[in-house]
Amino acid sequence: QVQLVESGGGVVQPGRSLRLSCAASGFIFRKYGMHWVRQAPGKGLEWLAITSYAGTDSFYGDSAKGRFTISRDNSKNTLYLQMNSLRHEDTAVYYCAKAKSGADCSSITCPLDYWGQGTLVIVSS
Amino acid sequence: DIQMTQSPSTLSASVGDTVTITCRASQSINIWLAWYQQKPGTAPKALMYKASNLEGGVPSRFSGSGSGTEFTLTISSLQPDDFATYHCQQYHDYPYTFGQGTKLEIK
């Protein structure tokens, strides 16, 4: 079955960097786009970024542009989110999620189907 | 960016009731809408895509409709397991955007 396991969260000071990882199993990782989504305490979901199945194309939400970088290593079945210049408002649970594919998608975009359990990032001095 | 607005923000209902949640887009998104269910302290779970297609394993009491800018999620004959927060998301264009969520609580 599909499993996505995030790691790398923790407490970090403002201005510092953190890299999150998402280990994938139960599906052919290299064939699917992958997303990062976050949820601040008591708030709604915020989409951050997507990388294509090969890692050659990425798109970002406004909060992630310029500070966060999504990447993947298909040889390790692992997705990453590099977060730089962290701010208090980046405090959230960060989820990785798998994209659907094929006929379930529009011409350029696909919905999310499986989500990891999330990893908590707290930005605090 | 496409703005997604859900209503109501909170909905109180009883087991056995039928409820409807509305999601409106700030511009047409065709049928490129997904719904997710989230219980406290857990990750979201995919319910529906392309506005009305159920994910595998989702009970048939869940149904979705709509196209363009207005969409609905209907849950018939509410079960105790259905009390959760529901999120809509457009995937018509980047950046993907979510509604603010609708919390379905027990009356």
Side-chain angles (χ1 to χ4, degrees):
Chain A
Q1 69 281 21
V2 172
Q3 275 203 306
L4 299 168
V5 180
E6 301 92 338
S7 61
V11 181
V12 59
Q13 292 179 329
R16 304 297 291 265
S17 298
L18 202 62
R19 188 177 81 157
L20 306 182
S21 300
C22 170
S25 61
F27 65 103
I28 303 173
F29 182 70
R30 67 179 185 275
K31 289 193 171 184
Y32 293 91
M34 295 293 296
H35 298 257
W36 285 101
V37 177
R38 72 181 180 184
Q39 187 170 36
K43 302 296 185 183
L45 300 169
E46 180 182 21
W47 181 80
L48 294 175
I50 181 175
T51 182
S52 62
Y53 64 93
T56 52
D57 296 294
S58 301
F59 295 90
Y60 295 89
D62 295 339
S63 297
K65 276 181 196 171
R67 294 190 300 129
F68 294 1
T69 302
I70 188 172
S71 62
R72 65 191 296 159
D73 185 337
N74 285 345
S75 70
K76 295 182 178 179
N77 288 354
T78 303
L79 175 72
Y80 303 101
L81 184 68
Q82 177 68 42
M83 304 188 293
N84 298 330
S85 303
L86 284 163
R87 306 165 179 162
H88 291 289
E89 54 266 36
D90 294 320
T91 294
V93 175
Y94 286 72
Y95 297 101
C96 65
K98 170 187 166 293
K100 295 177 78 70
S101 69
D104 299 335
C105 303
S106 73
S107 57
I108 57 170
T109 56
C110 298
L112 287 61
D113 55 4
Y114 291 94
W115 298 61
Q117 85 291 348
T119 187
L120 176 61
V121 173
I122 298 173
V123 183
S124 173
S125 51
Chain B
D1 297 0
I2 299 172
Q3 307 303 314
M4 304 300 293
T5 304
Q6 286 181 238
S7 60
S9 296
T10 306
L11 182 55
S12 297
S14 302
V15 172
D17 286 352
T18 294
V19 297
T20 297
I21 299 168
T22 297
C23 181
R24 288 186 174 88
S26 60
Q27 63 187 76
S28 177
I29 59 169
N30 199 335
I31 58 166
W32 311 120
L33 185 94
W35 289 97
Y36 305 91
Q37 177 194 65
Q38 187 179 27
K39 297 180 181 178
T42 70
K45 170 190 169 185
L47 285 181
M48 210 169 296
Y49 61 97
K50 278 202 285 191
S52 60
N53 290 50
L54 286 180
E55 289 283 356
V58 174
S60 59
R61 62 179 180 271
F62 290 86
S63 62
S65 66
S67 66
T69 61
E70 186 150 337
F71 302 85
T72 59
L73 171 68
T74 299
I75 313 172
S76 304
S77 187
L78 275 170
Q79 299 300 300
D81 192 49
D82 300 337
F83 292 94
T85 297
Y86 293 85
H87 308 271
C88 64
Q89 180 205 32
Q90 67 82 19
Y91 57 98
H92 171 74
D93 198 4
Y94 296 116
Y96 289 16
T97 42
F98 289 91
Q100 79 278 18
T102 294
K103 183 178 181 181
L104 175 58
E105 57 184 27
I106 300 175
K107 188 185 289 184

